[in-house]
Amino acid sequence: MNEVQRPWYETTMRWGQTNLTEIDPERYDHEHWERQWTRTSVDGIIVNAGGIVAYYPSEHPLHHRSPYLGDRDLFGEIVDRARGLDLTVVARMDCNRAGERFFAEKPHWFCVDAAGVPYRAAGRYISCIHSPYYDEYIPEILAEVIDRYRPDGFADNSWSGLSRDRICYCRYCSASFTQRAGAPLPHAHDWSSPVYREWIAWNYDRRIEIWDRFNEVTRRHGGTHCLWIGMNSAQMESQSANFRDLGRIVQRTPLVFIDHQRRMPETGFQANSHTGKLVHDLMGWRGQAAESMAMYNHYMPSFRTASAPEPEARMWAVSGMAGGILPWWHHIGSAHRDRRQYEIAPPLWSWHQGAQRYLVDRQPVANVGVLWSQHSFDVYGRDDARMVAESPYEGMVQALLRERLTYRPVHTSRLADVLGELDVLILANVGSVSAHDADLISEFVRRGGGLVLTGESGLYDEEGTRREDFVFAELMGATALHRHHGDRRLPETSWEVSPAHTYLELLRPGRSESQSHPLLDGFESTDQIPFGGRLECVKVTTGRAVATLVTPYPAYPPETAWQREPATALPAAIVNEPGSGRVVSLPADLDRCFGRGLQPDHARVLGNAVRWAARQRIPVTYEGAGTVDLHLYRQGDRLVLHLVNLSAAGAWRMPMHEDIPIGPLRVLIDAETAGVDWSDQPLQARALVSGLELAKSSTRAGIELELPRLVDHEVVTVEPQ
Ligand SMILES: [Zn+2]
């Protein structure tokens, strides 16, 4: 199929969005925004059509028009301008709220609490996703917009209805749930109740039903390629709170719209490359994922009309590009006192246009997979899922980054397909693992795969019920004791009581180098490292403990800060070699601890665990001072390498104020693990940001590249000349 025939969702590589506010019909400047579209080389725009506020003269009596619209059709005018420049047009909807007039006409379409009192947000009423508002009203609006304007597709901002923290008791919810569950709606959030768990499943299913229903409507009215795409995020917490099952959603659309507009303090810029890789793992690397990126000041607190600090917005965008995300600039409102925000996107978006063929349609080269389980987040994490289930994952991937190890996120639904491409699978406290997935993983290990498990991984079944023993007990060479030591949260206490003043004793029989396990590499000068976290108590069976817990002792006054008791026999790290595989289990939650405290010792143990389990097979790493988010891809007979410089202090405490260049860096690519053998061929290594031709050397064992300087990011293509 040639370029002309390919549908818009495959060919639109850069996006722009002026998110209209109610006043904008009075002040929207077409010339200004057309110029911005051109300066940023966008292929498509997202423009507000309707939902909460309509920007066109809708025929529907309840569709609230902007009070400033008058006789204008601002949406239609913008569509015409964009069409004049041959741009893709996506109509933006915002489905989930309405005002007084709508509520007065259709009170039953809105969410209510158990007493029948409507749930409200910012003075508006929240439409119920189980009501005809979604089944009838929104489809009518979608049809109206298509019939009049023929947009290429739709984006929907807050499409997924009432969030999980509240239960709607409207007549539609009541009838639908009772029909499905044979029981009335749950009275409270109680994960131990099967009815509540059914309510969760019913809610997830309804979002999928709505996704399919809206797409059926848009395709019927607008043709096969007229897609409706709701916004999603790759944060487990946000997806679960809104009943959006990332796996099921991404697998039913060729284009994903991501609403993750800025960096969060705890996950950093690298969260954006992670998002791109996770979404592409689910949809395939030929599919596209575009992300709304704030050009406004979206930090703490947010200033919706002020400019983002330029380095901060740029770094977020380049981190996304490293994960294959397509850039999409986003401004709130069409006129601003702070015009600096218009200057952020043009250079980077234009660079993207020049480099785009290297930035999409490629395969990640990574032999380490980290299992991403939204299901475990829900049924195991339950009411404290962020702390229980997501923070260990975040800490683990942060540690891998610091240890200069690359990885790929693996969604649970992709396990069977991906395991064959991995040397190591990591379960960062994935408590709930189905028997089916456990079988796949066990088979992988027995055939020689590596497995790194932390915390309670595999101790719970698919329903989130605690098993009698770890489903991986045999692989771990350890058995559950069903108790734990310490806490997930750092206790907020003074030094006067020190429950988290714990350590790990490193076990070296006879203290001999030869008997020290590689898990302890780098700790030759110490017998203990700090801990301070939660340890799941286990008993070793066939495995070998290489570290044990030292229980708390006083921290203050200093005269009392000495270890009273010898180290316990409670293992904190266990190694085992079942079949021809290698397993490291870490009952000590070093992943969660690292996410919160960034202790180098914790990252080192995690890194050692992965290196040992991978038999030291590392596809790509780097040498030189600095911290780099590194990604390697294969694209036909070419390697594409991304480096994002995370060395500035501002990369670890937002926002970024300035770039701090590093270099030189030596990048080492292991030819066999990367799947290339170019030892006899002259190579070309081009840096697409700096424009440099890089010094390189190639042997059968690997390729070495010398990057003299890294400012913010670099993309290097390596291929035979
Ligand atoms: Zn309802």
Side-chain angles (χ1 to χ4, degrees):
M1 198 182 271
N2 65 33
E3 196 70 17
V4 178
Q5 292 167 313
R6 288 173 64 200
W8 63 274
Y9 44 80
E10 289 182 10
T11 57
T12 308
M13 295 286 117
R14 284 161 302 285
W15 294 87
Q17 178 191 8
T18 311
N19 202 340
L20 301 177
T21 58
E22 291 165 302
I23 187 76
D24 283 318
E26 279 198 351
R27 62 180 193 178
Y28 187 89
D29 177 349
H30 283 294
E31 278 67 39
H32 167 78
W33 288 106
E34 276 197 31
R35 204 160 49 243
Q36 193 69 359
W37 300 342
T38 309
R39 292 176 73 208
T40 53
S41 312
V42 296
D43 301 314
I45 61 158
I46 289 115
V47 56
N48 309 54
I52 294 175
V53 177
Y55 292 91
Y56 70 97
S58 172
E59 295 289 319
H60 202 290
L62 291 175
H63 199 186
H64 169 73
R65 291 186 202 178
S66 158
Y68 301 91
L69 191 63
D71 297 330
R72 276 186 82 174
D73 178 356
L74 181 57
F75 173 71
E77 292 168 25
I78 297 172
V79 171
D80 286 346
R81 295 274 185 152
R83 291 301 191 201
L85 294 171
D86 210 19
L87 300 181
T88 299
V89 175
V90 162
R92 177 187 184 275
M93 300 289 294
D94 205 328
C95 280
N96 86 333
R97 294 176 197 180
E100 289 289 349
R101 194 164 65 89
F102 204 134
F103 178 75
E105 290 283 330
K106 302 281 185 188
H108 303 304
W109 290 7
F110 294 87
C111 298
V112 291
D113 67 15
V117 178
Y119 289 117
R120 301 182 65 168
R124 291 191 164 82
Y125 297 86
I126 300 171
S127 48
C128 182
I129 197 167
H130 298 272
S131 79
Y133 184 95
Y134 278 76
D135 280 320
E136 297 168 16
Y137 170 69
I138 293 295
E140 283 172 22
I141 301 297
L142 295 173
E144 181 181 65
V145 172
I146 293 170
D147 293 344
R148 284 201 206 171
Y149 305 101
R150 316 305 296 178
D152 293 290
F154 288 83
D156 200 320
N157 181 43
S158 52
W159 60 278
S160 49
L162 194 66
S163 52
R164 197 176 86 183
D165 52 347
R166 289 170 292 183
I167 299 172
C168 175
Y169 295 90
C170 79
R171 60 173 65 166
Y172 301 102
C173 283
S174 222
S176 164
F177 184 75
T178 307
Q179 191 189 13
R180 166 158 165 162
L185 287 159
H187 296 296
H189 297 277
D190 175 10
W191 279 98
S192 67
S193 152
V195 172
Y196 180 70
R197 295 202 297 268
E198 187 64 20
W199 179 79
I200 296 279
W202 167 76
N203 268 300
Y204 270 115
D205 288 348
R206 176 60 176 172
R207 273 67 181 175
I208 297 297
E209 205 174 282
I210 285 298
W211 190 286
D212 292 343
R213 164 108 178 98
F214 286 179
N215 271 285
E216 182 274 317
V217 170
T218 54
R219 285 178 158 137
R220 178 154 43 86
H221 289 267
T224 330
H225 298 308
C226 187
L227 308 180
W228 174 93
I229 304 167
M231 302 296 284
N232 277 279
S233 142
Q235 288 175 291
M236 287 186 210
E237 186 181 27
S238 158
Q239 288 297 98
S240 290
N242 293 291
F243 301 111
R244 300 186 303 236
D245 182 334
L246 191 71
R248 285 160 82 189
I249 289 171
V250 171
Q251 283 165 346
R252 61 206 326 115
T253 181
L255 172 63
V256 176
F257 282 157
I258 301 162
D259 189 358
H260 189 180
Q261 299 189 40
R262 52 87 184 234
R263 165 164 67 138
M264 307 298 276
E266 61 276 22
T267 48
F269 291 121
Q270 58 272 30
N272 217 15
S273 55
H274 176 278
T275 291
K277 288 186 133 174
L278 175 64
V279 167
H280 280 108
D281 175 59
L282 278 163
M283 75 187 313
W285 285 82
R286 287 189 68 83
Q288 303 295 5
E291 178 185 75
S292 169
M293 298 168 175
M295 299 295 111
Y296 59 90
N297 198 306
H298 192 358
Y299 309 106
M300 297 180 299
S302 286
F303 301 94
R304 299 279 259 181
T305 58
S307 176
E310 188 275 341
E312 177 73 27
R314 170 164 44 87
M315 286 291 288
W316 183 246
V318 300
S319 298
M321 290 173 193
I325 288 179
L326 302 176
W328 157 357
W329 51 253
H330 178 202
H331 298 273
I332 304 290
S334 72
H336 305 94
R337 305 290 293 166
D338 186 346
R339 297 172 299 282
R340 294 172 295 178
Q341 59 193 285
Y342 308 141
E343 304 307 319
I344 297 172
L348 186 57
W349 267 238
S350 299
W351 174 84
H352 187 275
Q353 183 180 34
Q356 71 180 40
R357 68 183 182 282
Y358 304 110
L359 305 180
V360 296
D361 195 11
R362 57 213 184 154
Q363 294 292 324
V365 176
N367 65 340
V368 174
V370 188
L371 192 67
W372 195 92
S373 176
Q374 189 176 346
H375 183 73
S376 180
F377 180 91
D378 284 339
V379 303
Y380 161 64
R382 299 192 167 189
D383 295 320
D384 196 16
R386 167 122 192 90
M387 178 57 64
V388 172
E390 194 166 24
S391 63
Y393 184 96
E394 289 173 357
M396 177 64 77
V397 298
Q398 303 279 11
L400 296 178
L401 175 83
R402 290 287 193 156
E403 287 291 302
R404 305 185 172 193
L405 293 164
T406 57
Y407 71 92
R408 57 190 279 191
V410 178
H411 189 275
T412 36
S413 66
R414 296 267 300 135
L415 199 52
D417 302 316
V418 172
L419 271 177
E421 300 167 17
L422 300 179
D423 287 327
V424 179
L425 180 71
I426 300 174
L427 272 66
N429 202 33
V430 180
S432 164
V433 177
S434 70
H436 173 263
D437 287 351
D439 285 346
L440 287 175
I441 294 168
S442 300
E443 181 61 21
F444 164 74
V445 173
R446 292 190 190 288
R447 288 186 178 183
L451 181 64
V452 176
L453 303 162
T454 72
E456 295 184 294
S457 292
L459 191 52
Y460 295 75
D461 68 13
E462 199 168 0
E463 294 289 306
T465 306
R466 190 180 261 256
R467 292 182 162 115
E468 285 185 13
D469 203 347
F470 294 99
V471 74
F472 301 117
E474 219 178 298
L475 297 181
M476 294 160 64
T479 184
L481 294 176
H482 299 290
R483 56 192 166 83
H484 68 271
H485 206 286
D487 207 338
R488 294 187 173 101
R489 281 186 175 73
L490 266 184
E492 289 180 33
T493 56
S494 69
W495 276 358
E496 299 291 349
V497 273
S498 314
H501 189 218
T502 58
Y503 293 77
L504 300 184
E505 177 82 15
L506 309 180
L507 304 184
R508 290 187 200 88
R511 301 200 177 203
S512 127
E513 276 301 298
S514 62
Q515 295 195 53
S516 180
H517 193 274
L519 208 66
L520 307 183
D521 282 357
F523 296 118
E524 289 74 18
S525 305
T526 181
D527 297 321
Q528 286 188 354
I529 58 172
F531 176 43
R534 179 192 192 276
L535 178 129
E536 181 67 22
C537 299
V538 304
K539 181 165 168 283
V540 168
T541 52
T542 56
R544 169 184 161 194
V546 294
T548 56
L549 177 73
V550 176
T551 49
Y553 53 87
Y556 190 84
E559 290 85 344
T560 67
W562 57 277
Q563 182 182 336
R564 310 287 195 279
E565 305 290 334
T568 66
L570 287 170
I574 303 162
V575 292
N576 198 29
E577 299 188 49
S580 45
R582 288 185 169 183
V583 179
V584 180
S585 34
L586 296 165
D589 64 346
L590 296 178
D591 42 6
R592 185 187 288 110
C593 289
F594 185 72
R596 131 182 110 212
L598 299 178
Q599 288 277 359
D601 288 349
H602 296 164
R604 171 49 76 99
V605 175
L606 295 168
N608 284 346
V610 171
R611 281 183 285 265
W612 179 72
R615 296 166 201 275
Q616 311 298 327
R617 279 163 54 88
I618 311 293
V620 63
T621 189
Y622 63 96
E623 292 175 354
T627 301
V628 176
D629 185 20
L630 185 67
H631 301 269
L632 183 64
Y633 296 91
R634 196 180 304 112
Q635 189 185 48
D637 193 27
R638 172 189 298 136
L639 293 174
V640 180
L641 183 74
H642 281 258
L643 302 99
V644 181
N645 181 4
L646 300 181
S647 309
W652 296 89
R653 183 170 176 205
M654 58 197 276
M656 279 274 282
H657 291 218
E658 60 176 337
D659 296 308
I660 299 181
I662 58 170
L665 295 173
R666 271 177 75 226
V667 178
L668 313 166
I669 299 171
D670 178 73
E672 190 206 336
T673 322
V676 293
D677 180 6
W678 292 331
S679 51
D680 303 327
Q681 300 173 61
L683 297 182
Q684 185 182 47
R686 277 198 312 132
L688 303 181
V689 177
S690 61
L692 296 174
E693 181 70 28
L694 300 190
K696 67 269 167 190
S697 66
S698 172
T699 64
R700 189 161 293 279
I703 301 153
E704 280 188 30
L705 304 171
E706 178 100 10
L707 187 69
R709 184 175 145 96
L710 178 64
V711 182
D712 51 355
H713 76 132
E714 187 56 274
V715 179
V716 183
T717 60
V718 187
E719 56 198 315
Q721 276 180 0

